[in-house]
Amino acid sequence: MGENKSVKLDFDCIGGDFERAGEASSKIKKMLQRLGIPADVVRRIAIGTYEAEMNVIIHAGGGHVVCLLYTSDAAD
């Protein structure tokens, strides 16, 4: 039987902190690449996450980016 695993990545996004902008999307991208997710999927997720992260930093005055990754090791 396969084993299910989950990982939660949680990043604080501080309003106006452009020095750390992009940190969450970059770390999420690296995690997805290590998991072997197809490059085109990783790219779309990274771009969408970066856009959301920037909107939070610029317009919302701060918040969180949370990524939940669920994997399953299927056994035959």
Side-chain angles (χ1 to χ4, degrees):
M1 190 170 247
E3 182 181 339
N4 294 324
K5 299 176 186 177
S6 66
V7 175
K8 179 180 179 181
L9 304 173
D10 188 348
F11 302 92
D12 287 325
C13 295
I14 300 168
D17 185 1
F18 294 101
E19 287 188 29
R20 290 182 42 199
E23 183 178 297
S25 56
S26 177
K27 289 184 178 180
I28 291 168
K29 178 182 175 180
K30 289 176 186 173
M31 173 71 73
L32 295 172
Q33 289 171 330
R34 282 194 299 263
L35 290 172
I37 305 299
D40 62 322
V41 174
V42 172
R43 181 177 181 274
R44 289 193 307 255
I45 291 170
I47 290 170
T49 304
Y50 179 79
E51 291 289 334
E53 186 178 1
M54 291 304 293
N55 283 335
V56 168
I57 290 170
I58 295 168
H59 302 294
H64 293 274
V65 172
V66 179
C67 175
L68 300 172
L69 301 171
Y70 296 95
T71 63
S72 174
D73 297 330
D76 293 339

